Amino acid sequence: MSGDWLEDVCWDGNGLVTAVAQEVGSGQILMVAWMNREALSLTVAEGYAVYWSRSRQRLWRKGEESGHRQKVHDIRLDCDGDVILLLVEQAGGIACHTGRHHCFYRSFKEGRWATVEPVLKDPKAIYQ
Amino acid sequence: MSGDWLEDVCWDGNGLVTAVAQEVGSGQILMVAWMNREALSLTVAEGYAVYWSRSRQRLWRKGEESGHRQKVHDIRLDCDGDVILLLVEQAGGIACHTGRHHCFYRSFKEGRWATVEPVLKDPKAIYQ
C-alpha cells in the first residue's frame, strides 16, 4: 500500500483534519474529533477509530479508557479533502464522555440550548 | 431572545465553529463547513443554512447560486460546544459542488480513495 492516499488528505496548518463518526445502522452522528496522519494510518491499520486529542496533545484510541471503541466499517473523504467521515459500530452504545449515546444532545429551542438526550451511564462508572 | 446562546458556542481563534449538515430522513451526512456568529444567527433567523466561506471570506447562503438550499429542521450543539449539527432538508437532492448528493463520495479501498457515488447533475448546469 503506497502512502499516497495520505497525501490526498488536505491536512491543516497543524497537520490535522476534521473527523466525523457516524453510526452504522442508525446513521446518527456520534461525535466530531480530529486526526493527524498517524491517527488516520492507525485507524486503517487497526480497524478501530484513533483520533488526535488536541487537549491532551496525544493519540487517542477511542475507548481506551471507557471500552467504548469504534469499529470502522467505512472511511470516506469529502470533496475538499479536509474532512474524514468514519462509519462505525459503537461499542457499548455510548460515544460521549457525558455517558450519552452521542455528543449532539443539545438542541436549539426558543433561544437556548435544551438537553434532549438522556445520560445512559454515569460517567463516574465509565471512567474509573 | 437573548444572545447568550451564541456565547455557549466555543468559537475558535478565528471566530469559527465546525458545522455538519445531515439530511433529515436519510440521515446522510451531506457536508461539513464553517460558521461564524453571524452565519449561525442568520441560520436561526432565516431557517436556511448560512455558512462562512473560508476561501471567499464571506457569508455563504448555501444554495445562493445553485438553488440547493438547506431548510433547517433542528440545530444541535455538541458536548464541547465546538461543533454544530444541522438537520436539513436538501433542495434538489444535491449538496456537493461536484453535482453529487453529498460531499463524502470517496471511500477508502485497498490503499486508495475510490469514487463510489454518481454525479447527479453536471456542475456546469448547476453554476451558470
Side-chain angles (χ1 to χ4, degrees), chain B residues 52-68:
Chain B
W52 174 257
S53 169
R54 292 182 303 172
S55 56
R56 291 175 286 181
Q57 288 286 304
R58 67 167 178 85
L59 286 171
W60 166 33
R61 283 177 169 79
K62 171 67 182 167
E64 62 193 8
E65 285 182 69
S66 62
H68 297 152

Side-chain angles (χ1 to χ4, degrees), chain A residues 27 74 76 78 104 106-107, chain B residues 22 74 76 78 104 106-107:
Chain A
D74 194 4
R76 297 292 187 105
D78 80 341
F104 295 91
R106 291 185 283 178
S107 175
Chain B
Q22 182 177 30
D74 194 5
R76 297 292 187 104
D78 80 342
F104 294 91
R106 290 186 285 179
S107 176

Side-chain angles (χ1 to χ4, degrees), chain A residues 47-102:
Chain A
Y48 286 87
V50 180
Y51 302 106
W52 174 257
S53 168
R54 293 183 302 173
S55 56
R56 291 174 286 180
Q57 288 285 303
R58 67 167 177 86
L59 286 171
W60 165 35
R61 283 178 170 80
K62 171 68 183 167
E64 60 193 9
E65 285 182 68
S66 63
H68 298 153
R69 300 204 297 169
Q70 296 177 332
K71 185 174 181 180
V72 175
H73 285 235
D74 194 4
I75 304 176
R76 297 292 187 105
L77 182 64
D78 80 341
C79 53
D80 296 328
D82 62 357
V83 185
I84 296 281
L85 170 62
L86 300 180
L87 277 297
V88 304
E89 202 175 315
Q90 177 61 58
I94 295 174
C96 186
H97 75 288
T98 65
R100 293 180 176 87
H101 177 54
H102 66 151

Side-chain angles (χ1 to χ4, degrees), chain B:
Chain B
M1 186 163 69
S2 87
D4 292 343
W5 63 277
L6 275 176
E7 298 315 313
D8 291 333
V9 178
C10 293
W11 306 98
D12 73 10
N14 296 312
L16 301 178
V17 74
T18 306
V20 181
Q22 182 177 30
E23 189 173 44
V24 164
S26 75
Q28 277 207 299
I29 302 191
L30 298 171
M31 55 181 281
V32 173
W34 296 84
M35 287 181 166
N36 60 7
R37 283 175 174 79
E38 194 179 0
L40 181 55
S41 298
L42 287 169
T43 297
V44 168
E46 300 179 2
Y48 287 86
V50 180
Y51 302 106
W52 174 257
S53 169
R54 292 182 303 172
S55 56
R56 291 175 286 181
Q57 288 286 304
R58 67 167 178 85
L59 286 171
W60 166 33
R61 283 177 169 79
K62 171 67 182 167
E64 62 193 8
E65 285 182 69
S66 62
H68 297 152
R69 300 204 298 169
Q70 296 176 332
K71 186 174 181 182
V72 176
H73 285 236
D74 194 5
I75 304 176
R76 297 292 187 104
L77 182 64
D78 80 342
C79 53
D80 296 327
D82 61 358
V83 185
I84 295 280
L85 170 62
L86 300 180
L87 277 297
V88 304
E89 201 175 316
Q90 177 61 60
I94 295 175
C96 185
H97 76 286
T98 65
R100 293 181 176 85
H101 177 54
H102 66 151
C103 298
F104 294 91
Y105 57 83
R106 290 186 285 179
S107 176
F108 185 75
K109 299 203 185 291
E110 298 171 3
R112 68 183 192 90
W113 299 104
T115 295
V116 294
E117 311 256 352
V119 172
L120 302 177
K121 189 171 178 180
D122 186 337
K124 288 198 220 70
I126 298 174
Y127 305 97
Q128 289 168 339

